[in-house]
Amino acid sequence: MDVETAGKIISSMFPDLRHAAITPIAEGGDHDTFDVNGSFIFKFPRTEDTAARQRIERIILEKIRSTLPILVPEFVYVGQPCELFPYPFTGQRKIKGISGEKRRPDAAQLPYIAKTAAQFLSALHSYSSPDFDVTVPEIRLDSPASMVNRVMKYKEWLSRALEPNERMKRYIHGCVRLPEPADRPSVLCHADLKGEHMIVNEQGANIEAVIDWTDIGIADPIVDFYGFVIWLGVPFVKQMLDHYDRPVDGDFLYRVIFYSRCTTLIHLGERLAGESDAPFDLLMAQLRRAFTE
């Protein structure tokens, strides 16, 4: 969608924004995204499925926002389908701060951030599917054996590109211990946590907000933890678990590490094989964090 079309839709539906300054935001993904007056972020879904997920995101966040210790998007405008656009869309209040991937916290700041992040996940993971008046998608993780097989699919690509250490070689050649199955129920998860979706303050000393919730679903809570692994590493997640108040089983941390490592290797393998256009430098950085003890 171009700026002119976005402007026509927004001004016709919301008269208070009739003379708004509109700037495109190059996020890619499933939405066309625009900054409006420097105060709001409008997201126009590109498909019917994305529009459905955006609706689920909005309904759930409106219910749980007040219970979370970190800011999440607040939907100020909800647009309906019109002649120029076939799907509902939203305008959320713009959150001040910097992407966590662009402003990485210093080591001295990590203990406080780990506690804040753990309190956030403790609150989020206290919810289950029956808590909502909308059907929440269920997210099923691939089995550990399937994850290893997916890594091995890219064995030649990864071996040539990485000069892998012994720890990486065990994953690439399928010689790694498979974690035990989860011993707890699935819960509400963001399901796409990573540095890009964390908004930190100018000093990188605190997480101000968590954004981009359209992948929200009911899942094994490890899916949110391994997002923190690829952002700040395994030691950071160990600090988080000291403050996480939901039940975990004995193999929980190993499952987090296992899935973070398999996932980063798979994503890098897809990029090397030409199956993805994800930023190579970012994939390499996430891989290093996942394999740092």
Side-chain angles (χ1 to χ4, degrees), residues 15-241:
D16 57 318
L17 298 176
R18 185 167 294 154
H19 303 294
I22 300 176
T23 306
I25 299 176
E27 285 192 346
D30 298 327
H31 297 85
D32 290 304
T33 307
F34 300 88
D35 181 296
V36 177
N37 275 351
S39 300
F40 304 101
I41 302 297
F42 272 74
K43 303 183 80 168
F44 293 84
R46 292 176 175 171
T47 66
E48 185 176 357
D49 176 68
T50 301
R53 289 190 287 116
Q54 189 184 78
R55 174 178 175 271
I56 293 169
E57 170 195 29
R58 176 173 55 82
I59 291 172
I60 293 177
L61 290 187
E62 285 175 350
K63 179 165 184 176
I64 70 175
R65 177 182 296 106
S66 63
T67 70
L68 300 178
I70 295 176
L71 285 175
V72 298
E74 177 187 358
F75 300 95
V76 182
Y77 299 95
V78 179
Q80 299 305 318
C82 62
E83 184 178 343
L84 293 175
F85 191 71
Y87 310 120
F89 60 94
T90 59
Q92 55 189 256
R93 197 177 303 280
K94 188 174 182 179
I95 298 171
K96 293 182 179 180
I98 304 172
S99 162
E101 196 58 51
K102 294 180 179 178
R103 178 61 178 90
R104 298 187 56 70
D106 298 328
Q109 299 164 332
L110 294 182
Y112 175 76
I113 295 175
K115 182 177 180 180
T116 302
Q119 291 171 339
F120 168 75
L121 288 189
S122 296
L124 177 63
H125 293 169
S126 68
Y127 290 96
S128 61
S129 190
D131 295 319
F132 305 102
D133 300 324
V134 63
T135 301
V136 186
E138 290 193 17
I139 301 169
R140 297 192 179 278
L141 291 174
D142 286 349
S143 70
S146 175
M147 292 296 288
V148 171
N149 287 335
R150 290 177 64 192
V151 172
M152 292 177 64
K153 173 184 174 183
Y154 302 106
K155 177 168 61 178
E156 298 303 322
W157 291 98
L158 294 167
S159 297
R160 288 198 301 268
L162 288 178
E163 297 183 2
N165 58 30
E166 289 304 314
R167 192 177 298 125
M168 288 183 187
K169 286 180 181 178
R170 289 199 292 273
Y171 282 82
I172 293 171
H173 295 281
C175 302
V176 63
R177 176 175 78 82
L178 302 182
E180 296 296 322
D183 187 24
R184 59 150 299 161
S186 297
V187 295
L188 187 67
C189 292
H190 179 286
D192 194 24
L193 287 178
K194 49 190 175 183
E196 303 99 293
H197 295 162
M198 309 288 180
I199 302 299
V200 301
N201 60 11
E202 292 285 343
Q203 298 74 35
N206 193 33
I207 303 172
E208 298 294 324
V210 176
I211 61 172
D212 286 3
W213 288 73
T214 49
D215 289 306
I216 195 168
I218 300 297
D220 185 323
I222 70 164
V223 304
D224 283 343
F225 275 94
Y226 69 65
F228 282 98
V229 171
I230 66 174
W231 181 34
L232 295 174
V234 173
F236 177 81
V237 170
K238 290 180 179 178
Q239 293 181 65
M240 285 181 64
L241 286 174

